Amino acid sequence: MAEPFFLTPVFHEKIWGGRRLATDFNYQLPDGKIGECWAISGHPHGPSQITNGRYQGQLLPDIYRDHPELFGNSHSPVFPLLTKILDAEASLSVQVHPDDEYAAEHEHELGKTECWYVISAEPGSYLTYGHSAKTRAQLKDLIDHQEWGQLFLKRPVKAGDFVYVPSGTIHALNKGIVVLETQQSSDTTYRLYDYDRVDATTGQKRALHLQQATDVTTVPFEEPHLTPVVEHRGSSTITTLVAPLLSPYFTVYKWEVSGELSLTAQRPYTLVSVIKGQGQLTVDGDAYPLQKGDHFLLPADVTAWTLTGELTMIASTSTV
Ligand code: ZN
């Protein structure tokens, strides 16, 4: 019997985190500044557990390994995507991620291209996004002299925005912003600047990685040109936020359901996060209640499904 896999989030404390994952999403959080909810993950630093059905209690990466047919027999040796919700109570370090080639050689994992759907942002919020250097020599010079104000570019941001962050892009999520992040399954970050903060638990500043960051940053920065495609279906809307023409790793959709929306699989499996509202998912005649904060995966034997209610969801499919 075809069925969705509902998943338990894994929470990570961060120097820049807050409590909005409890207040806004109703999660039972551990104590502390919780910055990250790893919602759909096969990564060893926080794998998702399946909460229903025949694989209840098992880990997503184990099912990915043991049942490749449920994932379209993908040639990726690891579950390739990672969905997170991030709560930036304070600003994250200004950072950059490597591409697949550099990450394979130096970190033995995937590179990291990521993207953000902005769930909420305080008035006046902005991202650090891109840099001003025209040549690699100029980039190195500005980093060597810590001319951060001159190097880093700012981009205003508001709820509902979608931002694509290919590997090699200098970026930071800044204070007051909550996003749903879709990314390659990687945990490699090279920090350029961390506000000279000292971690309360370790009493140390977090490590910087200036050499690696200089190596992997794309020069010059070119802002990706996004062309979202909107399709109306009755009173519901399907928006394709980013697709393979620009993004080689994933397609990301926003589904805004009002009433009933029936969908068919576009790729062998689909990752889904409910970011607003409530309703129901129906698969093979079985109904599953949905509410904000739920995350699930539709494996390859789920070829069609129906959503009902008033829901906003972010879905993604892998292109690898
Ligand atoms: Zn990042």
Side-chain angles (χ1 to χ4, degrees):
M1 185 193 69
E3 58 189 4
F5 301 158
F6 281 84
L7 302 160
T8 319
V10 177
F11 299 102
H12 292 272
E13 187 166 10
K14 296 286 173 180
I15 196 170
W16 43 263
R19 301 298 298 172
R20 292 185 67 165
L21 292 167
T23 55
D24 293 9
F25 285 87
N26 233 355
Y27 294 129
Q28 298 291 321
L29 290 190
D31 290 343
K33 295 168 185 259
I34 305 302
E36 300 196 354
C37 161
W38 288 29
I40 306 176
S41 164
H43 197 282
H45 296 174
S48 301
Q49 194 178 47
I50 297 168
T51 63
N52 68 300
R54 63 193 185 281
Y55 301 116
Q56 186 172 13
Q58 297 197 48
L59 297 177
L60 180 60
D62 295 342
I63 301 302
Y64 183 80
R65 180 195 62 216
D66 296 342
H67 295 280
E69 73 284 1
L70 294 175
F71 301 88
N73 297 301
S74 161
H75 60 79
S76 173
V78 295
F79 184 76
L81 297 183
L82 175 54
T83 304
K84 298 178 182 173
I85 301 175
L86 307 183
D87 168 19
E89 166 85 15
S91 295
L92 277 73
S93 63
V94 182
Q95 57 187 254
V96 59
H97 306 296
D99 64 12
D100 281 347
E101 195 184 344
Y102 189 96
E105 186 180 339
H106 297 272
E107 312 290 346
H108 310 291
E109 69 163 357
L110 297 178
K112 184 161 155 186
T113 285
E114 61 192 39
C115 61
W116 301 324
Y117 179 81
V118 179
I119 295 173
S120 64
E122 286 169 9
S125 293
Y126 68 92
L127 304 171
T128 302
Y129 186 64
H131 66 81
S132 63
K134 299 294 174 232
T135 64
R136 194 161 298 279
Q138 196 183 6
L139 174 74
K140 188 173 178 330
D141 189 59
L142 290 168
I143 290 174
D144 286 348
H145 292 92
Q146 304 192 15
E147 296 281 2
W148 306 130
Q150 199 185 330
L151 179 62
F152 301 148
L153 301 181
K154 292 180 179 178
R155 180 195 194 283
V157 75
K158 61 184 186 312
D161 285 358
F162 179 75
V163 182
Y164 182 65
V165 187
S167 60
T169 307
I170 291 176
H171 65 279
L173 202 58
N174 291 325
K175 67 180 165 68
I177 304 171
V178 175
V179 300
L180 185 296
E181 179 175 77
T182 304
Q183 58 160 96
Q184 288 182 274
S185 183
S186 169
D187 204 15
T188 298
T189 293
Y190 298 139
R191 288 191 201 103
L192 280 159
Y193 178 58
D194 199 27
Y195 303 90
D196 297 314
R197 283 180 292 205
V198 172
D199 191 300
T201 28
T202 64
Q204 308 273 322
K205 288 184 190 176
R206 300 192 299 174
L208 301 179
H209 317 88
L210 300 181
Q211 182 59 54
Q212 294 96 319
T214 309
D215 288 347
V216 307
T217 296
T218 303
V219 183
F221 167 69
E222 279 178 46
E223 180 154 356
H225 184 60
L226 293 170
T227 47
V229 177
V230 182
E231 181 191 346
H232 296 285
R233 295 249 198 111
S235 45
S236 299
T237 306
I238 301 167
T239 305
T240 306
L241 296 167
V242 70
L245 195 59
L246 182 66
S247 156
Y249 302 104
F250 41 71
T251 303
V252 180
Y253 304 93
K254 177 163 70 162
W255 298 338
E256 292 167 287
V257 180
S258 181
E260 182 173 304
L261 175 65
S262 290
L263 295 170
T264 53
Q266 301 298 303
R267 297 282 303 172
Y269 61 97
T270 308
L271 291 65
V272 189
S273 298
V274 182
I275 58 169
K276 190 175 169 190
Q278 55 187 333
Q280 179 171 291
L281 163 71
T282 306
V283 173
D284 249 9
D286 285 327
Y288 304 84
L290 294 178
Q291 60 175 351
K292 178 179 176 177
D294 284 344
H295 306 273
F296 59 93
L297 184 143
L298 298 160
D301 56 350
V302 177
T303 54
W305 57 90
T306 300
L307 300 161
T308 47
E310 298 293 322
L311 293 158
T312 303
M313 315 170 94
I314 300 294
S316 56
T317 55
S318 173
T319 342
V320 297

